[in-house]
Amino acid sequence: MENRDAELAEKILSLKKRRNAVILAHNYQLGEVQDIADFVGDSLGLSQNAAKTSAEVIIFCGVHFMAETASIICPDKTVLLPDINAGCPMANMITAEKLRDKKMELPYVPVVCYINSSAEVKAESDICCTSANAVKVVESLETREILFVPDLYLGHYISTQTNKEMILWPGFCPTHLRIRPEHLTRLRQEYPQAKVIVHPECRPEVIALADEVLSTGGMCRFAQQTETKEIVVGTEIGIIHRLKRENPGKKFIHVSEQAVCPNMKLITLEKILWSLEEMAPEVKVPEEIRLKAKAAVDRMLEIGRG
Ligand code: 13P
Ligand code: SF4
């Protein structure tokens, strides 16, 4: 860690103690941010950790819907998102109003929302899911038809793993769509021994070329358990930091330098320190929406990991 980072990290850690705060970071965060976090994980792991922490303040190093989910789960805690502009373009591809219109067309069809959605959208949904439990969540529902929002690609992947009829919303992750089949074909030639793991937000042509389709938490577990020494990683670049740190003897090949989520990179050590000093920007979900959204999130948490 560079001097400046070390200095900032020290200040953050001491202020964090005084504030009784916990730092939760997503696997896509900058390396220096992951290094100062109390917990680094996928969307499900982060929600589970928010649910069980005894800290009074949660510094959420991730994007807006993740901080909102923490606020939904822990209304009594102060949830801070060090850069309020860290949003998720996919989550912004659906609104509660548009979802309500769609539900009018499909009155008996349950709605499963990907956690990458706003609190208002969660409030309009029957159950939430993450990439770590999406198939299990969808299978827990009795109807054959399911309205899945907002990720078309995750929804399509689930449809290949179940016999449900999935009605899909046309949302997508711009970062994962930059991963193309040609990237994997080239890397397979270059690293013939490697295993290829990809995220289910990728397009079907990419998923078809992978050995494993995993959430980011699933990727970290896979990397630790596999005998394979070379792994091609088809997701956002930030995860490579954690994979390397936890598996020093293995080689991780990132699929494309274009697979970077600019929103995840908005959280920096400077902003975390500022956020702790100012106790801002706070993310707080209004109580009426929170209670409805919590029902969908709680149902998912009862199901746990897939
Ligand atoms: P997971 O870490 O839950 O697999 O999700 C990835 C993601 O895109 C978060 O925005
Ligand atoms: Fe949203 Fe994609 Fe960034 Fe995840 S990687 S936060 S889905 S834009």
Side-chain angles (χ1 to χ4, degrees), residues 11-297:
K11 285 187 183 161
I12 289 168
L13 297 181
S14 93
L15 190 51
K16 184 189 82 164
K17 250 191 226 146
R18 268 199 279 144
R19 296 266 194 243
N20 188 16
V22 67
I23 302 180
L24 305 182
H26 187 263
N27 289 320
Y28 296 160
Q29 288 290 291
L30 293 169
E32 60 270 26
V33 172
Q34 295 188 29
D35 292 346
I36 54 131
D38 296 288
F39 175 80
V40 183
D42 64 6
S43 310
L44 182 63
L46 291 165
S47 307
Q48 289 167 332
N49 260 270
K52 69 176 191 216
T53 182
S54 58
E56 289 167 77
V57 178
I58 298 176
I59 307 284
F60 217 110
C61 303
V63 289
H64 193 266
F65 75 82
M66 296 179 174
E68 261 193 349
T69 306
S71 165
I72 290 167
I73 299 171
C74 329
D76 302 334
K77 300 191 192 306
T78 304
V79 180
L80 304 175
L81 179 63
D83 188 325
I84 203 67
N85 296 313
C88 168
M90 183 208 288
N92 297 337
M93 289 176 190
I94 184 168
T95 61
E97 198 187 346
K98 285 192 184 141
L99 177 53
R100 277 194 291 273
D101 290 348
K102 191 75 189 169
K103 280 165 62 174
M104 302 266 265
E105 284 171 34
L106 303 162
Y108 301 108
V109 178
V111 180
V112 177
C113 71
Y114 190 23
I115 196 163
N116 298 38
S117 55
S118 67
E120 289 84 355
V121 165
K122 289 183 177 76
E124 290 292 333
S125 303
D126 294 280
I127 186 165
C128 185
C129 76
T130 77
S131 58
N133 59 16
V135 171
K136 204 169 165 191
V137 165
V138 164
E139 279 184 340
S140 75
L141 297 167
E142 279 168 13
T143 57
R144 186 164 157 69
E145 276 185 311
I146 309 275
L147 173 58
F148 187 82
V149 300
D151 189 358
L152 173 71
Y153 294 93
L154 175 62
H156 176 269
Y157 173 68
I158 301 166
S159 75
T160 66
Q161 305 298 302
T162 66
N163 57 9
K164 300 286 189 187
E165 200 175 303
M166 307 282 290
I167 302 158
L168 304 175
W169 195 268
F172 59 89
C173 165
T175 298
H176 283 88
L177 278 208
R178 286 189 207 110
I179 301 173
R180 306 200 54 89
E182 307 84 88
H183 296 135
L184 294 188
T185 317
R186 184 171 43 79
L187 289 170
R188 277 232 189 256
Q189 280 167 0
E190 212 176 315
Y191 300 94
Q193 309 296 332
K195 285 269 187 227
V196 175
I197 59 178
V198 303
H199 197 274
E201 288 176 13
C202 292
R203 54 180 86 231
E205 308 88 277
V206 166
I207 287 181
L209 297 174
D211 295 307
E212 303 286 341
V213 183
L214 298 163
S215 71
T216 62
M219 289 180 177
C220 295
R221 268 183 290 281
F222 175 85
Q224 287 194 314
Q225 286 160 9
T226 182
E227 302 280 293
T228 317
K229 292 277 181 272
E230 292 179 332
I231 304 173
V232 172
V233 184
T235 193
E236 208 275 343
I237 194 165
I239 197 171
I240 301 292
H241 175 81
R242 174 166 172 196
L243 291 171
K244 281 186 175 164
R245 180 167 45 79
E246 291 180 348
N247 307 276
K250 293 180 183 167
K251 185 176 172 74
F252 297 96
I253 305 115
H254 186 234
V255 70
S256 160
E257 59 189 16
Q258 289 174 26
V260 177
C261 174
N263 292 285
M264 286 281 179
K265 306 307 182 226
L266 287 175
I267 311 295
T268 60
L269 292 181
E270 280 87 353
K271 290 180 195 169
I272 296 170
L273 179 59
W274 174 83
S275 182
L276 267 168
E277 280 167 351
E278 300 296 320
M279 290 294 281
E282 185 176 358
V283 173
K284 189 141 187 76
V285 176
E287 194 59 8
E288 198 193 316
I289 292 165
R290 189 190 75 80
L291 287 172
K292 288 192 209 151
K294 188 168 185 295
V297 173

